[in-house]
Amino acid sequence: SDVESKIIRINTGVGYHGEEERPTQIPFIAAGFFFASAEFLVDVPFDPYMPWCFMGEEIMLSMRAWTSGWSIYAPRYNWIAHQYRPGRMGLPKFWGSVGRLFGRPGPGFSNQLQLKLIKRVKYLVGYKDCCTREKLEEEGSELVLQEVEHYGFGNVRTREEYLEWAQIDVDNKKCHRTEWCNTGSLE
């Protein structure tokens, strides 16, 4: 959607029905539920230039981890879940906290911040239509490039290798079905 600034949506694992007894590799980290040793934060420190990032957080975290040499695993059975419907329950949503913190309640303030942050995500992922360094500097958005080298990708595997491995087509803004993930064939 326009609010999400047309970021690539991760939605390729819906057809999985495996029976593996142990976790197998997957291409994406679930930002709200992942575990790693503390070394992970040395190799993939959280990016302070992407506060309150919602759309784009998981693709960036996944790409940064994978290019830093971390393989991503998940149990093949959903052992835990959360209710993602706080609005219907009268509870605040994640993005509402941004406006409350800055004294500007309502979804509009969060959306404005997200639209700026998503440019950093798109630059790193490789969106050529909007977010090359030259285009960002030309429009006065070079602030989103702060320390991008430090909080960008690792040097064990490349961005291009990740995009091919995870079946992400940046030019056409699509995630294709990852057969190896849906069959649980990478251990």
Side-chain angles (χ1 to χ4, degrees), residues 125-138:
V125 173
Y127 281 69
K128 295 178 188 81
D129 61 339
C130 69
C131 298
T132 61
R133 179 176 291 275
E134 295 75 26
K135 288 181 181 179
L136 291 169
E137 289 173 351
E138 187 177 297

Side-chain angles (χ1 to χ4, degrees), residues 159-170:
R159 172 181 66 190
E160 291 73 20
E161 289 171 325
Y162 176 83
L163 294 172
E164 181 180 337
W165 178 74
Q167 295 294 298
I168 298 173
D169 180 349
V170 176

Side-chain angles (χ1 to χ4, degrees), residues 52 86-87 90-111 113:
W52 299 289
L91 301 171
K93 293 183 178 175
F94 161 80
W95 44 86
S97 65
V98 179
R100 286 193 308 277
L101 179 66
F102 290 100
R104 297 171 72 181
F109 182 69
S110 179
N111 290 350
L113 180 59

Side-chain angles (χ1 to χ4, degrees), residues 10 23-31 33-36 40 44 58-76 157 162 165-166 180-181 186-187:
I10 301 170
T24 58
Q25 285 194 53
I26 61 171
F28 306 111
I29 293 173
F33 184 71
F34 78 99
F35 302 90
F40 182 86
V44 189
E58 291 174 337
I59 195 169
M60 279 310 312
L61 191 56
S62 302
M63 291 178 79
R64 292 179 61 222
W66 198 84
T67 60
S68 294
W70 290 83
S71 294
I72 306 163
Y73 291 84
R76 302 316 280 185
R157 299 180 272 211
Y162 176 83
W165 178 74
W180 59 265
C181 180
L186 282 181
E187 292 193 16

Side-chain angles (χ1 to χ4, degrees), residues 54 79 168:
F54 189 72
W79 291 100
I168 298 173

Side-chain angles (χ1 to χ4, degrees), residues 9-15 27-28 166-167 175-178 181-182:
R9 296 300 300 256
I10 301 170
N11 58 359
T12 61
V14 295
F28 306 111
Q167 295 294 298
C175 280
H176 298 285
R177 188 175 172 88
T178 48
C181 180
N182 290 316

Side-chain angles (χ1 to χ4, degrees), residues 148-159:
V148 76
E149 293 79 15
H150 180 70
Y151 296 105
F153 301 121
N155 58 10
V156 176
R157 299 180 272 211
T158 69
R159 172 181 66 190

